[in-house]
């Protein structure tokens, strides 16, 4: 039955064509490529256009050649045909060993010789001849690249592969080249050049992928679309497929995903000629739309028939072209392919469509008036490719085997007839009036909006001018009224002032009399005031002394605070030194523990060696009974050595106990340090409170001083006002000569008062200077306090940063436990395979989402590793907090999935920490993730020896014994399966109970766990068979004692394909050991081998089973 193709791996008969290509042959083949294949289509000219295209709105297609063109133009439209020879496969080497190749290539002459027999041959000429060493790149550049370039220039193109089944058509055309980009086929390379030659903004590339299966056109992007109809335009003759899915391509990765989905939906089957034979014709349709700007001076109007001149207007021109890439199904003979049932029906339809294609090509080559294009849907789809307007390249694939001489001859003749076909290549251009109309509409809308905006602005200006005129008229009337009222008010005020002057004369005379009376009173008041000022000066002197004493006390307090700050700084330095010493102690402890572990491992090795010697001694005692006395002496020697070893072990135990005591002492030291840090924080809080109290006291005292100074200022202002009054009085009474003596006495008193005033001003200035000094000291103290606060804040930030670094892995790591599964597929065959049904676009979206999730997880883990550091992450594995341990184990497991990080993890002690977690932890999550991390590390051969030397297999066996979680069992089975792939560790694995544990895990019944068990047993058996083949291993297999053979025989019919494949491989490798023959015969394994050689789904396993039966005659006889 036909199955859906799941991958693009080349089969045994259709293997890659470029393996073992020497560099000199590759360069020669590249240099021999003809230059005309890389030439672009000839430039367009006005002569090439028909006369009617000048006056039409949409220009017609322009041809590259007409009746008057020369032979070069005809040759450019001719179908180009190249031949590619497939290298010999294993079947050809075996069956054609006594026969020569039926094909002889002459690539430098572009000829091919086809031998009928040893004395006669026929020669054929092609456009290009590719040898079996030709690379995929050279094939593309010679065959497909000129067609792709013409498609980018606006011409239709077709690239088609034709040949017998199993000759490499799908490899040449549809190879994806995921793992190696040099193996990419024509489809991928063509789309890569098309995407590079177009722009995302103005151009468009769309793709459809179809298959012609049993004369029914199916959509490979949407498999539910079956029997898509084919329509032909009666006017243009163009073929279209309404209903087919058309996808716009964003980039090359998007196209690769689409092509992978289509290849998965394509029908393929296993025949005698090809293990993955295509059972349908695959057609990739690429639609390219490119816009080109050209100046057009005249445009013909379709409605009125008049011409309108648009000088310099740019009308975009659109070039629409189509590229067909066809991968034809191989022609085959029923007697050679062995097709039956559904395969026979498929072969009939394939041969029918290919014969109809051959008839059309024969008719075109012979210039027949009737071309039977309607006999098949394939010929209808390729109507434009042969004899139409497309530029066509055909690559013919053949095989070297003489057994298929007839098929090779028909293929070569097909290519020869196709070379006679000449197409009329046309350029398809159209004016893009839609985009031009959109631009003109947007311009008209902008102009209308601009006109409306200007009209609104004019109306607003008119309204504003009218408002201003009205305002000016109103203001003129109001000012006129105001002037009249002002004139009336002025006349009234002049009359009032005249009356007031008369009243002022009388009032001034009264004031003179009053001043004389007040002068006498002022003399008395000044005398009393002087006495009060003297008393206040004495009080101010006492207050200054008290204030100075308070300032001295405050200075002493400030000095004490500075001493406390210095003491706190020294305590901070001491705490930092303690932290450094603790870190050095931790490093020393790590080094000492590593030294002790190394010594203990060496002692364990010595004990194992001594145990082996003791066992050999006991066997010799049983065999050689006559030499009892000699063996007793040797036994005594061994006992003395064992006693010495026991003493050494006791010494090492005491050393380990002392190391544990040192660790406990260090832990106590860390606790004391934490207590000291807490006390330090309490002292800091007390110090901050004291600082706050002192600042409050200073602020209160400064406020009191400010109040005192303000009071003094008010008093001085009162005194100055009184002095001003006295000066005025003196000036008034200077004219009176009679009282000069009194005035002189007053002057003397005034001078004394002035001196007193000056002294008070000087004292005020001194007080102000002292106040400024106090303010400066206050600012300096505040700056010192702020500096101390900043230091404390910096230290708190450092402490919080350390705590944040320790807690950061816990916060930044994802919370989902499933996100921390090992990213590296340490079980190579444990890959989820989809059902043979169609792969939909939803599956593609899910795969993209899973890739995005995985890339995001890797980015977060890389950030954690860069910011925190791998040593700190490994140290967190020993944390007492279980949540921190879980997140740290998950980060280490994900880092271990990359080969670059494995060596660093082992060097930093990550392997030892993971093994200790397996031994001590009871958390199921920690056990599962730690087992997965060890499985990832066990992929490396260097790490396998370290895991076994440190008892890793024994710990994994114990972990499997104490858990029922299928995920944990899968991780443990994967780790043990990786260890089974190292032949040097087989004895240790059996002694540690790893093989027994693998077989006991079968009881879980989980399919994933059983798959890992089968893989481990296959690795074990394969290593044993390799050792027997090279001659450095003999004897019965170690798996026989554990009962592995019985389980393998019972699991041969398991439903999982990958598990069944590993079981069959294990049985084949175990049967290659002749010492296992008796076990195979007694347990029925020989019958299973016979069944595998006939019924296995894998051809390589069938061949291996047949080979083992031939090599072992006993099994064959049974």
């Amino acid at each position: 039955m036909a199955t859906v193709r799941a991958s693009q791996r080349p089969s045994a008969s259709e293997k890659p064509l470029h393996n073992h290509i020497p560099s000199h042959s590759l360069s020669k083949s590249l240099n021999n490529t003809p230059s005309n294949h890389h030439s672009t289509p000839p430039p367009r000219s006005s002569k090439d256009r028909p006369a009617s295209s000048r006056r039409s709105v949409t220009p017609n297609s322009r041809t590259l050649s007409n009746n008057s063109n020369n032979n070069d133009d005809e040759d450019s439209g001719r179908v180009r045909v190249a031949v590619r020879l497939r290298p010999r496969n294993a079947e050809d080497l075996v069956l054609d060993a006594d026969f020569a190749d039926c094909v002889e290539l002459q690539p430098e002459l572009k000829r091919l010789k086809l031998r009928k027999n040893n004395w006669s041959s026929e020669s054929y000429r092609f456009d290009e001849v590719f040898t079996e060493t030709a690379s995929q790149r050279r094939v593309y550049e010679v065959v497909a690249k000129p067609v792709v370039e013409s498609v980018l220039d606006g011409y239709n193109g077709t690239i088609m592969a034709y040949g017998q089944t199993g000759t490499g058509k799908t490899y040449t055309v549809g190879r994806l080249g995921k793992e190696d980009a040099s193996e990419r086929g024509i489809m991928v390379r063509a789309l890569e050049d098309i995407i590079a030659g177009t722009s995302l903004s103005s151009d468009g590339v769309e793709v459809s992928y179809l298959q012609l299966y049993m004369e029914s056109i199916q959509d490979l992007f949407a498999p539910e679309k079956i029997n898509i109809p084919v329509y032909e335009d009666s006017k243009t003759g163009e073929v279209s497929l309404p209903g087919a899915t058309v996808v716009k391509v964003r980039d090359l990765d998007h196209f690769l995903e689409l092509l992978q989905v289509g290849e998965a939906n394509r029908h393929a089957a296993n025949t005698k000629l090809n293990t993955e034979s295509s059972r349908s014709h695959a057609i990739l349709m690429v639609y390219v739309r490119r816009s080109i700007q050209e100046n057009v001076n005249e445009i013909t109007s379709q409605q009125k028939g008049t011409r309108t001149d648009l000088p310099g207007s740019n009308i975009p021109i659109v070039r629409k072209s189509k590229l067909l890439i066809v991968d034809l199904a191989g022609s085959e003979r029923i007697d050679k392919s062995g097709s039956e049932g559904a395969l026979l029906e498929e072969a009939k339809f394939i041969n029918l469509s290919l014969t109809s294609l051959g008839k059309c090509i024969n008719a075109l080559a012979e210039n027949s008036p009737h071309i039977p294009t309607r006999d098949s849907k394939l010929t209808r789809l390729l109507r434009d490719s042969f004899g139409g307007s497309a530029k066509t390249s055909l690559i013919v694939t053949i095989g070297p085997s003489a057994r298929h001489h007839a098929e090779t001859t028909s293929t070569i003749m097909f290519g020869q007839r196709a070379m006679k076909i000449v197409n009329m290549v046309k350029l398809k251009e159209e004016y893009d009036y839609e985009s031009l109309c959109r631009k003109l509409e947007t311009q008209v809308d902008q102009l209308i909006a601009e006109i409306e905006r200007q009209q609104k602005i004019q109306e607003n200006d008119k309204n504003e001018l009218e408002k201003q005129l009205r305002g000016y008229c109103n203001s003129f009337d109001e000012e006129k009224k105001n002037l009249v009222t002002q004139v009336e008010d002025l006349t009234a005020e002049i009359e009032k002032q005249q009356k007031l002057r008369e009243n002022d004369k009388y009032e001034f005379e009264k004031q003179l009399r009053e001043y004389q009376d007040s002068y006498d009173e002022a003399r008395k008041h000044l005398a009393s005031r002087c006495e009060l000022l003297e008393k206040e000066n004495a009080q101010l002197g006492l207050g200054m002394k008290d204030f100075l004493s308070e300032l001295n006390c405050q200075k002493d307090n400030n000095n004490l605070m500075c001493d406390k700050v210095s003491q706190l700084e020294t305590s901070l330095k001491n705490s930092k030194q303690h932290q450094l010493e603790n870190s050095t102690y931790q490093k020393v402890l790590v080094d000492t523990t590593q030294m002790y572990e190394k010594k203990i491992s060496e002692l364990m090795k010595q004990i194992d060696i001594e145990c082996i010697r003791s066992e050999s001694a006991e066997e010799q005692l049983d065999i050689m009974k006559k030499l009892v006395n000699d063996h007793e002496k040797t036994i005594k020697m061994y006992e003395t050595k064992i006693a010495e070893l026991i003493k050494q072990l006791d010494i090492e135990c005491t050393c380990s106990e002392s190391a544990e005591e040192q660790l406990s002492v260090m832990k106590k030291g860390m606790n004391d340090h934490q207590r000291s840090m807490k006390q330090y924080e309490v002292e800091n809080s007390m110090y901050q409170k004291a600082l706050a109290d002192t600042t409050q006291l200073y602020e209160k005292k400064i406020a009191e001083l400010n109040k005192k100074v303000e009071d003094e200022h008010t008093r001085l202002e009162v005194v100055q006002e009184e002095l001003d009054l006295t000066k005025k009085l003196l000036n008034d009474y200077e004219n009176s000569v009679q009282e000069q003596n009194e005035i002189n006495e007053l002057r003397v008193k005034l001078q004394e008062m002035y001196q007193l005033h000056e002294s008070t001003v000087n004292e005020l200035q001194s007080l102000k200077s002292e106040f400024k000094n106090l303010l400066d000291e206050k600012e300096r103290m505040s700056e010192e306090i702020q500096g101390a606060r900043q230091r404390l804040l910096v230290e708190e930030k450092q402490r919080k940063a350390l705590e944040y670094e320790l807690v950061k892995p816990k916060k930044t790591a994802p919370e989902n436990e499933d996100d921390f599964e090992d990213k590296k597929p340490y079980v190579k065959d444990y890959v989820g395979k989809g059902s043979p049904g169609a792969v939909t676009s939803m599956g593609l979206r899910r795969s993209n989402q899973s890739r995005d999730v995985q890339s995001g997880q890797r980015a977060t883990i890389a950030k954690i590793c860069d910011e925190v550091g791998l040593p700190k992450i490994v140290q967190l594995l020993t944390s007492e907090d279980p949540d921190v341990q879980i997140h740290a184990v998950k980060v280490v497991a994900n880092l271990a999935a990359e080969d670059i990080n494995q060596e660093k993890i082992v060097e930093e002690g990550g392997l030892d920490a993971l093994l200790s977690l397996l031994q001590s932890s009871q958390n199921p999550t920690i056990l599962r993730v730690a087992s997965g991390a060890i499985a990832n590390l066990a992929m490396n051969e260097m790490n396998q020896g370290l895991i076994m030397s440190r008892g890793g297999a024994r710990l994994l066996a114990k972990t499997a014994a104490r858990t029922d979680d299928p995920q944990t069992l899968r991780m443990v089975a994967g780790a043990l399966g990786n260890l089974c792939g190292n032949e040097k560790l087989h004895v240790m694995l059996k002694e540690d109970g790893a093989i027994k544990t693998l077989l006991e895990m079968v009881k879980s019944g989980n399919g994933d766990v059983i798959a890992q068990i089968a893989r481990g047993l296959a690795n074990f058996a394969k290593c044993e068979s390799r050792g027997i083949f090279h001659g450095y291993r003999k004897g019965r297999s170690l798996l026989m004692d554990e009962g592995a053979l019985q389980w393998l025989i019972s699991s041969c019919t398991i439903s999982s394909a990958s598990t069944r494949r590993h079981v069959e491989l294990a049985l084949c490798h175990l049967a290659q050991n002749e010492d296992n023959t008796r076990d195979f015969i007694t347990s029925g394994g020989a019958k299973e081998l016979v069944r595998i050689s006939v019924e296995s789904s894998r051809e390589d396993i069938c061949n291996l089973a047949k080979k083992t039966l031939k090599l072992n005659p006993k099994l064959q006889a049974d």
Side-chain angles (χ1 to χ4, degrees), residues 741-802:
N741 295 324
E742 294 177 356
I743 290 168
N744 291 326
E745 291 176 357
L746 286 170
R747 283 180 179 174
V748 172
K749 290 181 179 179
L750 284 171
Q751 287 179 356
E752 292 176 354
M753 291 295 291
Y754 183 74
Q755 290 176 356
L756 288 170
H757 176 67
E758 287 181 348
S759 64
T760 53
V761 168
N762 292 326
E763 289 177 355
L764 281 171
Q765 289 179 354
S766 64
L767 287 170
K768 287 180 179 179
S769 62
E770 290 177 356
F771 180 70
K772 288 180 180 178
N773 293 326
L774 287 171
L775 290 173
D776 294 334
E777 289 181 357
K778 179 186 175 184
E779 290 176 356
R780 184 171 59 79
M781 289 297 294
S782 64
E783 288 177 355
E784 291 177 356
I785 291 165
Q786 287 179 357
R789 286 178 179 174
Q790 288 178 356
R791 290 173 187 171
L792 290 170
L793 289 172
V794 169
E795 290 175 357
E796 287 179 357
K797 286 180 180 178
Q798 291 177 355
R799 181 173 58 79
K800 289 179 180 179
L802 291 172

Side-chain angles (χ1 to χ4, degrees), residues 375-387:
D375 291 350
S376 173
K377 289 185 179 180
L378 178 64
T379 54
R380 291 178 68 188
L381 290 172
L382 300 178
R383 181 177 181 180
D384 194 36
S385 302
F386 295 99

Side-chain angles (χ1 to χ4, degrees), residues 812 814 823 849-863:
T812 56
K823 302 292 185 301
Q849 291 176 359
S850 64
R851 289 176 185 172
D852 295 337
V853 171
Q854 289 181 359
S855 62
Q857 291 173 0
R858 290 176 182 172
T860 54
I861 292 161
K863 285 182 181 178

Side-chain angles (χ1 to χ4, degrees), residues 700-762:
K700 287 179 181 178
K701 290 181 179 180
I702 289 165
E704 291 175 359
L705 289 171
N706 288 325
K707 287 181 181 179
K708 289 180 180 179
V709 172
E710 287 176 357
D711 294 333
E712 299 247 338
H713 275 296
T714 53
R715 289 176 186 175
L716 286 171
E717 287 175 356
V718 171
V719 172
Q720 285 180 353
E721 289 176 357
E722 290 176 355
L723 287 171
D724 293 328
L725 289 170
T726 55
K727 285 180 181 180
K728 288 179 180 178
L729 291 170
L730 287 170
N731 290 324
D732 293 332
Y733 289 105
E734 279 180 354
N735 295 323
S736 62
V737 180
Q738 296 177 356
E739 296 177 351
Q740 286 182 354
N741 295 324
E742 294 177 356
I743 290 168
N744 291 326
E745 291 176 357
L746 286 170
R747 283 180 179 174
V748 172
K749 290 181 179 179
L750 284 171
Q751 287 179 356
E752 292 176 354
M753 291 295 291
Y754 183 74
Q755 290 176 356
L756 288 170
H757 176 67
E758 287 181 348
S759 64
T760 53
V761 168
N762 292 326

Side-chain angles (χ1 to χ4, degrees), residues 990-1018:
K990 183 179 179 182
E991 291 175 354
D992 292 342
I995 299 170
K996 185 177 180 181
T997 302
L998 276 175
L999 294 171
E1000 287 178 352
M1001 282 192 285
V1002 175
K1003 298 176 182 178
S1004 65
N1006 187 278
D1008 296 337
V1009 178
I1010 293 171
Q1012 298 301 317
I1013 295 166
R1015 185 180 68 87
L1017 295 177

